[in-house]
């Protein structure tokens, strides 16, 4: 695959992820953070200036900074994610008809919650991404 085609695909995927992540701010069951991290990865390979813009964004920059710098998630985002993971899996378990599906969803929810809650946390000292205290390691 040529460099220009690869760059176009990375840029397209990056902007798609930014769009879905932005929509996730308003739709409670759609996660924002994973899409922003994927967008960041695409932009770092496809367009470093756009990646820099995303990393310096007033709302999204701290999420990406904490992940790239510390491999950690902000405590507020983690709490919100836990609530929505629990609610979405509970709704799914309630909706599916078969017991094996309910058990599978419950097991997946437990695995996801255990993995997610083991990630280190950062606590923002101020609203800038540069001022964080790392905890939970």
């Amino acid at each position: 695959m040529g460099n220009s085609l690869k760059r176009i695909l990375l840029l397209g995927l990056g902007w798609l992820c930014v769009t879905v992540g932005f929509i996730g701010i308003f739709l409670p069951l759609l996660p924002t953070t994973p899409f922003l991290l994927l967008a960041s990865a695409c932009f770092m390979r496809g367009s470093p200036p756009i990646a820099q813009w995303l990393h310096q964004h007033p709302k999204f920059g701290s999420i990406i900074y904490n992940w790239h710098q510390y491999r950690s998630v902000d405590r507020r985002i983690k709490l919100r994610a836990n609530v929505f993971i629990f609610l979405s899996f509970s709704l799914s378990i309630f909706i599916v008809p078969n017991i094996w599906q309910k058990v599978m969803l419950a097991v997946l929810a437990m695995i996801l919650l255990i993995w997610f809650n083991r990630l280190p946390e950062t606590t923002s000292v101020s609203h800038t991404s540069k001022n964080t205290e790392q905890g939970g390691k």
Side-chain angles (χ1 to χ4, degrees):
M1 176 169 19
N3 279 342
S4 61
L5 179 60
K6 181 179 177 181
R7 185 175 185 274
I8 290 169
L9 289 174
L10 287 169
L11 287 172
L13 182 59
W15 283 116
L16 177 67
C17 290
V18 167
T19 303
V20 173
F22 181 75
I23 293 169
I25 293 171
F26 305 104
L27 295 177
L29 298 179
L30 188 63
T32 299
T33 304
F35 288 106
L36 293 178
L37 295 175
L38 183 56
S40 171
C42 290
F43 289 147
M44 285 192 305
R45 290 164 183 80
S47 175
I50 297 174
Q52 184 177 9
W53 167 81
L54 187 60
H55 289 216
Q56 294 174 347
H57 192 275
K59 294 289 183 197
F60 305 142
S62 63
I63 295 169
I64 297 167
Y65 177 82
N66 285 337
W67 183 255
H68 285 292
Q69 202 66 21
Y70 305 114
R71 291 287 189 239
S72 64
V73 179
D74 185 278
R75 182 173 289 149
R76 293 171 296 150
I77 292 170
K78 205 174 195 182
L79 178 63
R80 209 174 313 150
N82 274 303
V83 168
F84 287 117
I85 289 169
F86 177 79
L87 290 176
S88 63
F89 271 91
S90 296
L91 178 65
S92 299
I93 290 168
F94 179 74
I95 290 174
V96 297
N98 299 327
I99 190 73
W100 70 268
Q101 292 170 328
K102 293 177 187 292
V103 170
M104 179 190 67
L105 285 168
V107 168
L108 287 173
M110 285 189 294
I111 291 169
L112 177 61
L113 287 168
I114 289 169
W115 171 81
F116 186 69
N117 284 298
R118 290 179 55 110
L119 291 175
E121 291 180 357
T122 53
T123 306
S124 294
V125 177
S126 74
H127 294 296
T128 63
S129 61
K130 305 291 184 208
N131 294 325
T132 57
E133 292 177 358
Q134 188 174 7
K137 268 199 169 178

